[in-house]
Amino acid sequence: MSSLYQMSPPRFALVRPLPASFAQALSEKPPITPIDLALAQHQHQAYVSALRSAVGEVVVVDAADECPDCCFIEDTVVIVGRQAMITRPGAPSRRIETSAVAASLERLRTRGEDLVIEHLSDAALLDGGDVLYVGGRLFIGLSRRTTATALEEMRARMDCPVHGIEVDEGLHLKSMLSALDDQTLVVAEHPSALRMATEIKAVLGAGGSLITVPDASAANVLRLGRYVLIQDGFPQSSGRLQSICGERGLMPVSLKMSEFIKADGALTCCSVIIP
Ligand code: CIR
């Protein structure tokens, strides 16, 4: 099975442009300065350009103005190997986002991609932001958006080991941690993030390691072949990440995500990667 963390470029990235309603996206705390839609568009375009340079093909799912959060496409599907599990997002306003994503995956399948498209049951709630695939395992955050029923269903239906991790702070499991490769987690220097990362590292075993960064948002990085998307605007965190990338022969690409952070988003949430 292709790994998300190999040096060769992932085959596909699915993205969803910003809807005109993006300024009304959900947010845990209303931002001090409201979302600047023009700036958000600019940041999203830079994100998509970075993806175009790093993956085989970018598949664009049409935006839906009735879904202010639709650009956070990661929450709508979990893909491991050929298995694509369409989620049932935790926020009621986001549940209608999944059908357009399922239809795009179906089009890829009819083009010959070896994908098996499945749907979580109506009993489950799960956001893809709570799902980290690393070391051949799925770690699923139990958060305000993702339920124990969803964890059990994923355990029963996914073709890989599945572990639950309590999320007691932040929106999602990946709000304060992410993976650089199959053994290395990037994690915020924050008690709750460190506790979750330590639990994951224990499952990964002797090779598992943690890279800590001072800024919570900056702990969300997106590995794409030999590139690593990191967040601009957090000098201490990006300095640390840039030097680690250099040591490992990876190329950091800095992107500003300020308008997405206002809606509790970051780098992983704006795409779905198919290795
Ligand atoms: C939400 O509250 O659902 C969106 N405003 C943010 C979702 C971010 N998703 C992610 O990090 N996977």
Side-chain angles (χ1 to χ4, degrees), residues 22-45:
F22 181 60
Q24 280 85 56
L26 296 173
S27 172
E28 296 266 278
K29 286 190 211 125
I32 298 163
T33 342
I35 289 173
D36 176 334
L37 191 56
L39 181 56
Q41 297 278 16
H42 179 75
Q43 291 178 348
H44 196 262
Q45 279 158 14

Side-chain angles (χ1 to χ4, degrees), residues 73-102:
I73 189 170
E74 171 183 58
D75 293 318
T76 61
V77 62
V78 175
I79 301 184
V80 177
R82 50 200 293 269
Q83 209 176 359
M85 183 66 74
I86 304 293
T87 67
R88 203 163 161 266
S93 65
R94 300 201 56 195
R95 297 202 185 129
I96 54 170
E97 292 175 25
T98 55
S99 54
V101 177

Side-chain angles (χ1 to χ4, degrees), residues 62 69 257:
D62 288 342
D69 288 285
M257 298 298 282

Side-chain angles (χ1 to χ4, degrees), residues 25-26 69 72 74-75 94 127-129 145 171-172 263-265 269:
L26 296 173
D69 288 285
F72 299 120
E74 171 183 58
D75 293 318
R94 300 201 56 195
D127 280 8
R145 296 287 180 87
L171 181 64
H172 288 136
D264 303 323
C269 57

Side-chain angles (χ1 to χ4, degrees), residues 82 84-86 102 105-107 109 115-119:
R82 50 200 293 269
M85 183 66 74
I86 304 293
L105 289 170
E106 189 55 40
R107 278 193 290 280
R109 206 180 64 75
L115 281 175
V116 178
I117 302 167
E118 302 180 39
H119 294 255

Side-chain angles (χ1 to χ4, degrees), residues 16-22 24 62-70 96:
R16 209 160 177 187
L18 293 191
S21 55
F22 181 60
Q24 280 85 56
D62 288 342
D65 288 343
E66 66 281 18
C67 302
D69 288 285
C70 68
I96 54 170

